[in-house]
């Protein structure tokens, strides 16, 4: 298992957000966490991706306990990619520079290969505010992939996209998973979630 969660629980100021979550994710699996707003799916995604520490429970990555990781920033850079609903691109950097910022060692060829994969190579020298929302999200995906993460996490990555661009993003996730990358997506879109290998519904802080 690449990720194993045992009895994960999380509270916000005494309010229970997650309760006794048990989850196992294999290498190369494409997983979707679905649920209504406030169900706990984003909290679960944040914990699985190490952005948030659980109140209790155990989380392992390739059989290593997250709690034992000494340098969490270094661990994330080597192992984890994250895509947010909002792209968080830097407007005064062009798209190529935004991707390069995530990995200074990345070569021009590596970045161009990603841009080509996402069908945005012609936008490399444009700035985020000069392109559409769907194109910005694809730049953000390239930025998340430039370190070749073992696990790619995405929180409502298609929330601001039209149906065509949303479909393109999920088809890319399927392709990446088929090539061995583990993909974990939180989404309220149950139709798109059907493209995943497994769907887990989060309801009232528990896996339904």
């Amino acid at each position: 298992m690449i990720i194993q969660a045992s009895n994960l629980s999380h509270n916000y100021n005494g309010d229970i957000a997650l309760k006794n979550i048990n989850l196992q994710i294999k290498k190369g699996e494409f997983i979707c966490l679905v649920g209504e707003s406030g169900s706990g799916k984003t909290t679960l995604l944040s914990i699985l991706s190490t952005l948030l520490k659980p109140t209790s429970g155990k989380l392992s990555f390739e059989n290593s306990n997250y709690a034992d990781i000494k340098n969490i920033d270094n661990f994330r850079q080597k192992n984890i990619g994250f895509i947010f609903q909002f792209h968080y691109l830097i407007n005064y950097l062009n798209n190529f520079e935004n991707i390069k910022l995530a990995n200074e060692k990345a070569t021009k060829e590596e970045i161009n290969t990603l841009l080509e994969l996402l069908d945005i190579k012609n936008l490399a020298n444009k700035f985020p505010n000069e392109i559409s929302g769907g194109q910005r999200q694809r730049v953000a995906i390239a930025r998340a992939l430039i370190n070749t993460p073992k696990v790619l996490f995405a929180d409502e990555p298609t929330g601001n996209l039209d149906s065509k661009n949303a479909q393109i993003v999920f088809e890319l996730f399927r392709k990446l998973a088929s090539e061995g990358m583990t993909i974990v997506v939180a989404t309220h879109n149950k139709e798109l979630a059907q493209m995943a290998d497994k769907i887990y519904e989060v309801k009232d802080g528990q896996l339904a």
Side-chain angles (χ1 to χ4, degrees), residues 74-119:
N74 190 45
F75 172 84
R76 285 186 195 126
Q77 190 166 22
K78 285 183 177 178
N79 296 289
I80 289 172
F82 208 105
I83 302 164
F84 300 90
Q85 181 174 349
F86 187 71
H87 55 78
Y88 294 112
L89 298 173
I90 298 170
N91 282 324
Y92 60 79
L93 298 178
N94 68 29
N95 296 321
F96 185 96
E97 291 164 340
N98 264 285
I99 298 165
K100 179 80 171 176
L101 194 64
N103 182 357
E104 291 291 342
K105 294 178 181 176
T107 65
K108 184 175 182 179
E109 186 179 354
E110 286 170 334
I111 294 173
N112 282 335
T113 298
L114 265 182
L115 291 171
E116 202 163 346
L117 173 71
L118 292 158
D119 197 25

Side-chain angles (χ1 to χ4, degrees), residues 1-6 47-48 50 58-70 72 75 79-80 150:
M1 295 296 162
I2 193 163
I3 294 175
Q4 193 156 358
S6 304
I47 291 172
L48 294 176
T50 75
K58 183 182 176 184
L59 186 62
S60 299
F61 185 91
E62 295 183 323
N63 297 319
S64 296
N65 193 332
Y66 273 151
D68 297 332
I69 296 168
K70 297 282 192 292
I72 195 68
F75 172 84
N79 296 289
I80 289 172
K150 291 180 181 178

Side-chain angles (χ1 to χ4, degrees), residues 13-189:
N13 300 319
D15 292 330
I16 297 171
L18 290 179
K19 187 177 180 182
N20 296 330
I21 298 286
N22 292 289
L23 183 62
Q24 293 183 329
I25 301 172
K26 297 175 185 173
K27 182 182 184 298
E29 272 190 322
F30 177 12
I31 303 293
C32 272
L33 306 172
V34 301
E36 300 302 321
S37 180
S39 63
K41 67 181 187 299
T42 294
T43 299
L44 177 56
L45 192 81
S46 297
I47 291 172
L48 294 176
S49 62
T50 75
L51 293 180
L52 182 67
K53 284 187 177 180
T55 303
S56 61
K58 183 182 176 184
L59 186 62
S60 299
F61 185 91
E62 295 183 323
N63 297 319
S64 296
N65 193 332
Y66 273 151
D68 297 332
I69 296 168
K70 297 282 192 292
N71 187 332
I72 195 68
D73 290 333
N74 190 45
F75 172 84
R76 285 186 195 126
Q77 190 166 22
K78 285 183 177 178
N79 296 289
I80 289 172
F82 208 105
I83 302 164
F84 300 90
Q85 181 174 349
F86 187 71
H87 55 78
Y88 294 112
L89 298 173
I90 298 170
N91 282 324
Y92 60 79
L93 298 178
N94 68 29
N95 296 321
F96 185 96
E97 291 164 340
N98 264 285
I99 298 165
K100 179 80 171 176
L101 194 64
N103 182 357
E104 291 291 342
K105 294 178 181 176
T107 65
K108 184 175 182 179
E109 186 179 354
E110 286 170 334
I111 294 173
N112 282 335
T113 298
L114 265 182
L115 291 171
E116 202 163 346
L117 173 71
L118 292 158
D119 197 25
I120 48 173
K121 191 175 178 182
N122 61 319
L123 305 178
N125 295 320
K126 288 191 176 293
F127 290 82
N129 59 3
E130 296 178 326
I131 61 177
S132 72
Q135 291 167 335
R136 282 194 290 266
Q137 189 64 310
R138 276 184 268 171
V139 174
I141 291 170
R143 181 184 58 190
L145 293 174
I146 194 58
N147 290 321
T148 320
K150 291 180 181 178
V151 188
L152 180 66
F153 293 93
D155 187 15
E156 296 287 3
T158 60
N160 294 323
L161 304 183
D162 59 31
S163 58
K164 182 185 174 185
N165 277 300
Q167 184 78 18
I168 288 169
V169 167
F170 267 70
E171 284 172 358
L172 174 65
F173 291 157
R174 269 243 56 85
K175 183 177 187 295
L176 292 169
S178 72
E179 293 170 355
M181 189 177 291
T182 306
I183 313 286
V184 186
V185 179
T187 181
H188 67 275
N189 191 321

